[in-house]
């Protein structure tokens, strides 16, 4: 399968920003591991990161219009909690999207982080497992695709 992994606002600072919450590995290190693990399984992964809500929406649209991938893993960062634009972009496409958060958003001290407006339009949500959440989301999307073929 072909996967597109989209990382949103502030995730370019992963490894530097709040390491107690997000870990010490950089986003490029995490992406390299995801790419390696996908290749080992016969899959492929492409990556996109933006701090711009509109660019994230545009990337979702492009993936759909150009049929670039079989599944999307999205860590929208703080946009998850209030971006109806990204929510509508996900709802507008037929590619399954899995939402990922490295932190356990339900356990975060800030109340606004407890709810995601994206979750209801995603096929699944993984949170609280650090960078391993991306791999769990990939496994989940692969299983859904397998079940749909049966």
């Amino acid at each position: 399968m072909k996967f597109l992994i989209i990382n949103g606002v502030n995730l370019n600072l992963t490894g530097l920003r709040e390491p107690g919450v997000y870990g010490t590995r950089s986003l490029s290190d995490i992406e390299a591991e995801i790419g390696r693990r996908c290749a080992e399984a016969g899959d492929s992964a492409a990556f996109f990161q933006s701090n711009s809500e509109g660019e994230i929406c545009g990337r979702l649209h492009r993936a759909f219009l150009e049929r670039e991938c079989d599944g999307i893993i999205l860590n929208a960062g703080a946009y998850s909690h209030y971006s109806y634009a990204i929510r509508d972009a996900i709802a507008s496409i037929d590619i399954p999207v899995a939402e990922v958060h490295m932190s356990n958003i339900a356990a975060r001290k800030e109340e606004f982080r407890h709810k995601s407006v994206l979750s209801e339009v995603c096929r699944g949500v993984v949170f609280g497992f650090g960078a391993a959440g991306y791999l769990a989301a990939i496994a989940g999307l692969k299983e859904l695709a397998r079940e749909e073929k049966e």
Side-chain angles (χ1 to χ4, degrees):
M1 288 182 67
K2 290 194 246 179
F3 295 99
L4 172 61
I5 293 85
I6 299 175
N7 284 287
V9 64
N10 298 318
L11 287 155
N12 57 305
L13 297 178
T14 301
L16 301 172
R17 172 183 172 242
E18 299 179 81
V21 175
Y22 301 106
T24 57
R25 295 170 56 203
S26 71
L27 184 59
S28 61
D29 290 341
I30 293 167
E31 289 175 345
E33 180 182 353
I34 294 167
R36 181 181 56 76
R37 299 279 291 274
C38 281
E40 288 172 358
D43 301 315
S44 65
F47 302 94
F48 177 78
Q49 188 280 324
S50 178
N51 291 319
S52 169
E53 183 179 33
E55 287 180 6
I56 293 168
C57 292
R59 190 65 185 91
L60 289 162
H61 296 168
R62 188 174 112 203
F64 167 68
L65 292 171
E66 297 182 13
R67 308 311 298 173
E68 291 181 343
C69 59
D70 304 302
I72 297 171
I73 290 78
L74 172 64
N75 182 344
Y79 288 137
S80 303
H81 310 295
Y82 65 88
S83 178
Y84 294 104
I86 293 173
R87 183 208 179 281
D88 289 350
I90 296 166
S92 298
I93 66 176
D94 64 359
I95 299 169
V97 177
E99 181 181 6
V100 169
H101 296 278
M102 288 190 274
S103 69
N104 180 346
I105 62 172
R108 298 288 298 269
K109 63 182 173 186
E110 305 94 346
E111 183 74 25
F112 77 90
R113 294 189 193 277
H114 297 176
K115 168 127 174 68
S116 167
V117 300
L118 309 181
S119 298
E120 65 187 29
V121 294
C122 290
R123 289 297 300 268
V125 179
V126 178
F127 61 85
F129 292 102
Y134 293 95
L135 298 172
I138 288 169
L141 289 175
K142 287 178 73 166
E143 181 61 22
L144 286 173
R146 187 188 64 73
E147 289 174 3
E148 288 174 358
K149 285 183 182 178
E150 293 179 347

